[in-house]
């Protein structure tokens, strides 16, 4: 069990395109995944991409039952997603307030495709293929963006819709 340090916006690793995972079923991969879940839990995250702990590989984890940071979010199954691909199934977009553990204390209003199909592999190299919508689709798009060096502020249409969470919503959420 190891909680890793999460690097923050400004660190150049977060702007890099991450490299595909080439070996599955290894101790190193299992360890990395465990560290990512431990880190995500310690920071009350709903998702984490490997580059956020300074590992520039195409691997994300996500999942939530109930989140303090996103109290109205629908549950998302705990997922390990490696070398992911996203197909957009509609032109419809919906705006929601996103946050990121690499940009602590802030939120921005970001448009995302409402219905996607995503595929990839789990830690054993077993294929994953799902069609999802709602919060699940938002989380996947946010996390996969990290693998291409994309942070959510670049997707905000109007920078007036970007700010500190407690100022925006007048609550104590981080
Ligand atoms: Ni993020």
């Amino acid at each position: 069990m190891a909680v890793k340090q999460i690097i923050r916006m400004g660190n150049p690793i977060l702007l890099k395109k991450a490299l595909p995972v080439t070996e599955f079923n290894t101790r190193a991969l299992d360890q990395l995944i465990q560290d990512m879940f431990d880190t995500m839990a310690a920071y009350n995250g709903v998702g984490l991409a490997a580059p956020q702990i300074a590992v520039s590989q195409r691997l994300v984890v996500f999942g939530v039952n109930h989140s303090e940071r996103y109290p109205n979010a629908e549950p998302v199954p705990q997922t390990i997603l490696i070398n992911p691909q996203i197909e957009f199934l509609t032109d419809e977009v919906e705006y929601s307030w996103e946050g990121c553990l690499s940009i602590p204390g802030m939120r921005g209003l970001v448009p995302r495709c409402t219905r996607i199909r995503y595929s990839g592999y789990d830690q054993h190299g077993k294929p994953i293929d799902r069609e999802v919508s709602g919060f699940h689709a938002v989380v996947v798009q946010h996390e996969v963006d990290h693998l291409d060096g994309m942070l959510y502020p670049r997707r905000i249409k109007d920078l007036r819709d970007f700010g500190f969470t407690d100022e925006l919503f007048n609550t104590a959420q981080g």
Side-chain angles (χ1 to χ4, degrees), residues 60-129:
V60 303
V61 301
F62 53 85
V64 62
N65 272 317
H66 174 77
S67 168
E68 277 168 43
R69 296 180 72 241
Y70 299 90
N72 301 318
E74 315 139 30
V76 177
Q78 291 272 321
T79 302
I80 297 157
L81 184 63
I82 297 172
N83 299 344
Q85 301 226 297
I86 293 179
E87 186 186 340
F88 301 102
L89 299 178
T90 171
D91 292 333
E92 193 187 26
V93 298
E94 205 163 78
Y95 285 76
S96 68
W97 289 96
E98 293 187 19
C100 181
L101 296 177
S102 293
I103 311 169
M106 301 189 81
R107 290 290 163 100
L109 197 58
V110 178
R112 298 286 185 184
C113 180
T114 57
R115 211 159 58 81
I116 63 169
R117 176 179 184 179
Y118 69 88
S119 57
Y121 300 90
D122 73 5
Q123 70 274 34
H124 307 297
K126 191 173 146 245
I128 294 169
D129 191 337

Side-chain angles (χ1 to χ4, degrees), residues 47 52 99-102 142-143 146 151-152:
Q52 292 181 276
C100 181
L101 296 177
S102 293
H142 177 112
E143 296 311 328
H146 275 294
L151 298 174
Y152 79 79

